[in-house]
Amino acid sequence: MLKQKEIKPKVIELLEYALQEWAPVTIEMAYFWDIDITEKIIEVVNSWVKVDIILPEKANVQDDLNKKVMKEILDKANWNIGIYFYPGMLHAKMIHVWEV
């Protein structure tokens, strides 16, 4: 039997690493809903680490929630964030922590 792995702990770990190393981060995900990840993104951005987020312009599910979470991040974060909407649906789960 395959052991199911959850992405959340790894996302939090990578964001914490970026925070400690002051390393810019690019996050590409289809859905943003987890409050712990949202709060960690805000913490990283407000610590002057550049974060770019790529998400679908129109998600196939929970699109309104995606937009609500992006608004929350923009409302609580300093200027050090970029949010980019991919014109189609994407279902990637990618986090790239840039080496500085």
Side-chain angles (χ1 to χ4, degrees):
M1 174 177 246
L2 291 175
K3 184 177 180 182
Q4 186 174 4
K5 295 185 180 183
E6 220 182 292
I7 191 172
K8 178 180 174 174
K10 187 53 83 175
V11 171
I12 299 292
E13 177 185 330
L14 288 169
L15 288 169
E16 182 61 33
Y17 175 81
L19 179 64
Q20 298 304 316
E21 297 297 319
W22 280 38
V25 180
T26 302
I27 303 170
E28 182 177 328
M29 291 191 334
Y31 313 112
F32 286 82
W33 60 269
D34 186 274
I35 190 66
D36 296 327
I37 291 173
T38 301
E39 288 176 356
K40 193 61 159 180
I41 290 169
I42 293 166
E43 177 187 357
V44 170
V45 170
N46 286 338
S47 297
W48 300 103
V49 175
K50 174 72 170 139
V51 175
D52 289 317
I53 296 175
I54 304 166
L55 69 157
E57 185 174 40
K58 178 95 171 121
N60 60 342
V61 294
Q62 75 180 35
D63 187 62
D64 290 340
L65 183 56
N66 268 359
K67 304 278 187 332
K68 179 181 176 187
V69 170
M70 290 306 110
K71 182 178 180 337
E72 178 183 352
I73 291 171
L74 286 172
D75 287 347
K76 293 181 178 178
N78 65 29
W79 61 271
N80 217 19
I81 187 159
I83 297 176
Y84 305 94
F85 292 100
Y86 181 76
M89 182 56 198
L90 58 83
H91 205 276
K93 293 164 189 72
M94 186 275 298
I95 297 180
H96 185 249
V97 179
W98 298 87
E99 252 186 80
V100 289

PDB file of all heavy atoms in Angstrom, residues 53-73:
ATOM      1  N   ILE A  53       3.440  34.477  -6.669  1.00  0.00           N
ATOM      2  CA  ILE A  53       2.432  33.417  -6.677  1.00  0.00           C
ATOM      3  C   ILE A  53       1.839  33.333  -8.073  1.00  0.00           C
ATOM      4  O   ILE A  53       1.464  34.351  -8.656  1.00  0.00           O
ATOM      5  CB  ILE A  53       1.317  33.695  -5.648  1.00  0.00           C
ATOM      6  CG1 ILE A  53       1.890  33.682  -4.225  1.00  0.00           C
ATOM      7  CG2 ILE A  53       0.179  32.680  -5.789  1.00  0.00           C
ATOM      8  CD1 ILE A  53       0.891  34.075  -3.154  1.00  0.00           C
ATOM      9  N   ILE A  54       1.753  32.114  -8.594  1.00  0.00           N
ATOM     10  CA  ILE A  54       1.123  31.853  -9.888  1.00  0.00           C
ATOM     11  C   ILE A  54      -0.041  30.911  -9.628  1.00  0.00           C
ATOM     12  O   ILE A  54       0.120  29.860  -8.999  1.00  0.00           O
ATOM     13  CB  ILE A  54       2.108  31.207 -10.871  1.00  0.00           C
ATOM     14  CG1 ILE A  54       3.353  32.093 -11.032  1.00  0.00           C
ATOM     15  CG2 ILE A  54       1.430  30.943 -12.218  1.00  0.00           C
ATOM     16  CD1 ILE A  54       4.514  31.408 -11.715  1.00  0.00           C
ATOM     17  N   LEU A  55      -1.224  31.303 -10.089  1.00  0.00           N
ATOM     18  CA  LEU A  55      -2.409  30.469  -9.926  1.00  0.00           C
ATOM     19  C   LEU A  55      -3.296  30.643 -11.143  1.00  0.00           C
ATOM     20  O   LEU A  55      -3.119  31.580 -11.919  1.00  0.00           O
ATOM     21  CB  LEU A  55      -3.153  30.804  -8.637  1.00  0.00           C
ATOM     22  CG  LEU A  55      -3.853  32.152  -8.534  1.00  0.00           C
ATOM     23  CD1 LEU A  55      -4.958  32.073  -7.495  1.00  0.00           C
ATOM     24  CD2 LEU A  55      -2.871  33.229  -8.128  1.00  0.00           C
ATOM     25  N   PRO A  56      -4.245  29.734 -11.342  1.00  0.00           N
ATOM     26  CA  PRO A  56      -5.095  29.851 -12.524  1.00  0.00           C
ATOM     27  C   PRO A  56      -5.983  31.089 -12.450  1.00  0.00           C
ATOM     28  O   PRO A  56      -6.457  31.462 -11.371  1.00  0.00           O
ATOM     29  CB  PRO A  56      -5.935  28.570 -12.514  1.00  0.00           C
ATOM     30  CG  PRO A  56      -5.897  28.085 -11.110  1.00  0.00           C
ATOM     31  CD  PRO A  56      -4.611  28.567 -10.529  1.00  0.00           C
ATOM     32  N   GLU A  57      -6.170  31.712 -13.600  1.00  0.00           N
ATOM     33  CA  GLU A  57      -7.067  32.863 -13.667  1.00  0.00           C
ATOM     34  C   GLU A  57      -8.491  32.466 -13.267  1.00  0.00           C
ATOM     35  O   GLU A  57      -9.187  33.210 -12.588  1.00  0.00           O
ATOM     36  CB  GLU A  57      -7.063  33.424 -15.094  1.00  0.00           C
ATOM     37  CG  GLU A  57      -7.855  34.675 -15.277  1.00  0.00           C
ATOM     38  CD  GLU A  57      -7.680  35.245 -16.661  1.00  0.00           C
ATOM     39  OE1 GLU A  57      -7.649  34.470 -17.632  1.00  0.00           O
ATOM     40  OE2 GLU A  57      -7.563  36.473 -16.760  1.00  0.00           O
ATOM     41  N   LYS A  58      -8.888  31.269 -13.658  1.00  0.00           N
ATOM     42  CA  LYS A  58     -10.217  30.750 -13.308  1.00  0.00           C
ATOM     43  C   LYS A  58     -10.044  29.281 -12.933  1.00  0.00           C
ATOM     44  O   LYS A  58      -9.926  28.421 -13.799  1.00  0.00           O
ATOM     45  CB  LYS A  58     -11.174  30.902 -14.487  1.00  0.00           C
ATOM     46  CG  LYS A  58     -12.558  30.360 -14.252  1.00  0.00           C
ATOM     47  CD  LYS A  58     -13.491  31.452 -13.784  1.00  0.00           C
ATOM     48  CE  LYS A  58     -14.917  30.938 -13.756  1.00  0.00           C
ATOM     49  NZ  LYS A  58     -15.509  31.007 -12.471  1.00  0.00           N
ATOM     50  N   ALA A  59      -9.993  29.005 -11.641  1.00  0.00           N
ATOM     51  CA  ALA A  59      -9.843  27.623 -11.176  1.00  0.00           C
ATOM     52  C   ALA A  59     -11.122  26.839 -11.457  1.00  0.00           C
ATOM     53  O   ALA A  59     -12.220  27.398 -11.427  1.00  0.00           O
ATOM     54  CB  ALA A  59      -9.531  27.601  -9.692  1.00  0.00           C
ATOM     55  N   ASN A  60     -10.967  25.540 -11.704  1.00  0.00           N
ATOM     56  CA  ASN A  60     -12.142  24.722 -12.008  1.00  0.00           C
ATOM     57  C   ASN A  60     -13.028  24.508 -10.785  1.00  0.00           C
ATOM     58  O   ASN A  60     -14.219  24.252 -10.917  1.00  0.00           O
ATOM     59  CB  ASN A  60     -11.728  23.384 -12.630  1.00  0.00           C
ATOM     60  CG  ASN A  60     -10.829  22.569 -11.727  1.00  0.00           C
ATOM     61  OD1 ASN A  60     -10.240  23.088 -10.779  1.00  0.00           O
ATOM     62  ND2 ASN A  60     -10.702  21.291 -12.018  1.00  0.00           N
ATOM     63  N   VAL A  61     -12.475  24.619  -9.589  1.00  0.00           N
ATOM     64  CA  VAL A  61     -13.263  24.596  -8.353  1.00  0.00           C
ATOM     65  C   VAL A  61     -12.689  25.646  -7.416  1.00  0.00           C
ATOM     66  O   VAL A  61     -11.537  26.045  -7.552  1.00  0.00           O
ATOM     67  CB  VAL A  61     -13.262  23.202  -7.658  1.00  0.00           C
ATOM     68  CG1 VAL A  61     -13.970  22.164  -8.500  1.00  0.00           C
ATOM     69  CG2 VAL A  61     -11.863  22.751  -7.335  1.00  0.00           C
ATOM     70  N   GLN A  62     -13.476  26.095  -6.499  1.00  0.00           N
ATOM     71  CA  GLN A  62     -13.132  27.070  -5.470  1.00  0.00           C
ATOM     72  C   GLN A  62     -12.425  28.313  -5.994  1.00  0.00           C
ATOM     73  O   GLN A  62     -11.562  28.886  -5.337  1.00  0.00           O
ATOM     74  CB  GLN A  62     -12.363  26.420  -4.325  1.00  0.00           C
ATOM     75  CG  GLN A  62     -10.928  26.058  -4.572  1.00  0.00           C
ATOM     76  CD  GLN A  62     -10.305  25.419  -3.344  1.00  0.00           C
ATOM     77  OE1 GLN A  62     -10.953  24.699  -2.603  1.00  0.00           O
ATOM     78  NE2 GLN A  62      -9.050  25.681  -3.121  1.00  0.00           N
ATOM     79  N   ASP A  63     -12.812  28.774  -7.167  1.00  0.00           N
ATOM     80  CA  ASP A  63     -12.205  29.977  -7.739  1.00  0.00           C
ATOM     81  C   ASP A  63     -12.430  31.192  -6.837  1.00  0.00           C
ATOM     82  O   ASP A  63     -11.518  31.994  -6.639  1.00  0.00           O
ATOM     83  CB  ASP A  63     -12.770  30.242  -9.143  1.00  0.00           C
ATOM     84  CG  ASP A  63     -12.046  31.375  -9.832  1.00  0.00           C
ATOM     85  OD1 ASP A  63     -10.826  31.252 -10.067  1.00  0.00           O
ATOM     86  OD2 ASP A  63     -12.693  32.408 -10.111  1.00  0.00           O
ATOM     87  N   ASP A  64     -13.632  31.338  -6.298  1.00  0.00           N
ATOM     88  CA  ASP A  64     -13.912  32.472  -5.406  1.00  0.00           C
ATOM     89  C   ASP A  64     -13.022  32.433  -4.162  1.00  0.00           C
ATOM     90  O   ASP A  64     -12.572  33.484  -3.695  1.00  0.00           O
ATOM     91  CB  ASP A  64     -15.386  32.492  -4.978  1.00  0.00           C
ATOM     92  CG  ASP A  64     -16.310  32.843  -6.130  1.00  0.00           C
ATOM     93  OD1 ASP A  64     -15.839  33.423  -7.123  1.00  0.00           O
ATOM     94  OD2 ASP A  64     -17.508  32.534  -6.034  1.00  0.00           O
ATOM     95  N   LEU A  65     -12.776  31.239  -3.645  1.00  0.00           N
ATOM     96  CA  LEU A  65     -11.910  31.111  -2.480  1.00  0.00           C
ATOM     97  C   LEU A  65     -10.475  31.507  -2.828  1.00  0.00           C
ATOM     98  O   LEU A  65      -9.808  32.202  -2.051  1.00  0.00           O
ATOM     99  CB  LEU A  65     -11.958  29.683  -1.923  1.00  0.00           C
ATOM    100  CG  LEU A  65     -11.145  29.424  -0.656  1.00  0.00           C
ATOM    101  CD1 LEU A  65     -11.538  30.378   0.472  1.00  0.00           C
ATOM    102  CD2 LEU A  65     -11.314  27.986  -0.218  1.00  0.00           C
ATOM    103  N   ASN A  66      -9.984  31.084  -3.988  1.00  0.00           N
ATOM    104  CA  ASN A  66      -8.657  31.498  -4.431  1.00  0.00           C
ATOM    105  C   ASN A  66      -8.532  33.018  -4.433  1.00  0.00           C
ATOM    106  O   ASN A  66      -7.570  33.581  -3.920  1.00  0.00           O
ATOM    107  CB  ASN A  66      -8.371  30.992  -5.849  1.00  0.00           C
ATOM    108  CG  ASN A  66      -7.683  29.647  -5.876  1.00  0.00           C
ATOM    109  OD1 ASN A  66      -7.378  29.070  -4.853  1.00  0.00           O
ATOM    110  ND2 ASN A  66      -7.439  29.157  -7.074  1.00  0.00           N
ATOM    111  N   LYS A  67      -9.510  33.680  -5.023  1.00  0.00           N
ATOM    112  CA  LYS A  67      -9.470  35.144  -5.124  1.00  0.00           C
ATOM    113  C   LYS A  67      -9.558  35.791  -3.730  1.00  0.00           C
ATOM    114  O   LYS A  67      -8.890  36.787  -3.459  1.00  0.00           O
ATOM    115  CB  LYS A  67     -10.608  35.644  -6.015  1.00  0.00           C
ATOM    116  CG  LYS A  67     -10.639  35.043  -7.424  1.00  0.00           C
ATOM    117  CD  LYS A  67      -9.714  35.705  -8.362  1.00  0.00           C
ATOM    118  CE  LYS A  67      -9.786  35.307  -9.819  1.00  0.00           C
ATOM    119  NZ  LYS A  67     -10.193  34.059 -10.274  1.00  0.00           N
ATOM    120  N   LYS A  68     -10.356  35.213  -2.863  1.00  0.00           N
ATOM    121  CA  LYS A  68     -10.478  35.737  -1.498  1.00  0.00           C
ATOM    122  C   LYS A  68      -9.144  35.632  -0.759  1.00  0.00           C
ATOM    123  O   LYS A  68      -8.729  36.569  -0.070  1.00  0.00           O
ATOM    124  CB  LYS A  68     -11.572  34.971  -0.747  1.00  0.00           C
ATOM    125  CG  LYS A  68     -11.766  35.426   0.677  1.00  0.00           C
ATOM    126  CD  LYS A  68     -12.836  34.617   1.384  1.00  0.00           C
ATOM    127  CE  LYS A  68     -12.932  35.035   2.831  1.00  0.00           C
ATOM    128  NZ  LYS A  68     -13.820  34.207   3.609  1.00  0.00           N
ATOM    129  N   VAL A  69      -8.475  34.488  -0.898  1.00  0.00           N
ATOM    130  CA  VAL A  69      -7.188  34.296  -0.237  1.00  0.00           C
ATOM    131  C   VAL A  69      -6.149  35.262  -0.809  1.00  0.00           C
ATOM    132  O   VAL A  69      -5.371  35.866  -0.065  1.00  0.00           O
ATOM    133  CB  VAL A  69      -6.715  32.832  -0.350  1.00  0.00           C
ATOM    134  CG1 VAL A  69      -5.279  32.674   0.123  1.00  0.00           C
ATOM    135  CG2 VAL A  69      -7.640  31.916   0.438  1.00  0.00           C
ATOM    136  N   MET A  70      -6.143  35.464  -2.127  1.00  0.00           N
ATOM    137  CA  MET A  70      -5.195  36.410  -2.726  1.00  0.00           C
ATOM    138  C   MET A  70      -5.458  37.827  -2.214  1.00  0.00           C
ATOM    139  O   MET A  70      -4.526  38.571  -1.916  1.00  0.00           O
ATOM    140  CB  MET A  70      -5.279  36.383  -4.255  1.00  0.00           C
ATOM    141  CG  MET A  70      -4.750  35.111  -4.888  1.00  0.00           C
ATOM    142  SD  MET A  70      -3.066  34.668  -4.415  1.00  0.00           S
ATOM    143  CE  MET A  70      -3.370  33.212  -3.409  1.00  0.00           C
ATOM    144  N   LYS A  71      -6.715  38.194  -2.068  1.00  0.00           N
ATOM    145  CA  LYS A  71      -7.049  39.521  -1.535  1.00  0.00           C
ATOM    146  C   LYS A  71      -6.565  39.646  -0.094  1.00  0.00           C
ATOM    147  O   LYS A  71      -6.003  40.670   0.296  1.00  0.00           O
ATOM    148  CB  LYS A  71      -8.548  39.785  -1.617  1.00  0.00           C
ATOM    149  CG  LYS A  71      -8.925  41.169  -1.109  1.00  0.00           C
ATOM    150  CD  LYS A  71     -10.384  41.462  -1.235  1.00  0.00           C
ATOM    151  CE  LYS A  71     -10.792  42.822  -0.742  1.00  0.00           C
ATOM    152  NZ  LYS A  71      -9.990  43.518   0.201  1.00  0.00           N
ATOM    153  N   GLU A  72      -6.757  38.593   0.702  1.00  0.00           N
ATOM    154  CA  GLU A  72      -6.289  38.611   2.087  1.00  0.00           C
ATOM    155  C   GLU A  72      -4.774  38.791   2.140  1.00  0.00           C
ATOM    156  O   GLU A  72      -4.259  39.591   2.934  1.00  0.00           O
ATOM    157  CB  GLU A  72      -6.677  37.315   2.807  1.00  0.00           C
ATOM    158  CG  GLU A  72      -6.171  37.253   4.223  1.00  0.00           C
ATOM    159  CD  GLU A  72      -6.488  35.949   4.937  1.00  0.00           C
ATOM    160  OE1 GLU A  72      -7.244  35.111   4.391  1.00  0.00           O
ATOM    161  OE2 GLU A  72      -5.966  35.766   6.046  1.00  0.00           O
ATOM    162  N   ILE A  73      -4.060  38.061   1.289  1.00  0.00           N
ATOM    163  CA  ILE A  73      -2.604  38.195   1.255  1.00  0.00           C
ATOM    164  C   ILE A  73      -2.221  39.621   0.870  1.00  0.00           C
ATOM    165  O   ILE A  73      -1.370  40.242   1.516  1.00  0.00           O
ATOM    166  CB  ILE A  73      -1.980  37.154   0.298  1.00  0.00           C
ATOM    167  CG1 ILE A  73      -2.123  35.737   0.885  1.00  0.00           C
ATOM    168  CG2 ILE A  73      -0.513  37.487   0.016  1.00  0.00           C
ATOM    169  CD1 ILE A  73      -1.741  34.626  -0.068  1.00  0.00           C
TER     170      ILE A  73
END
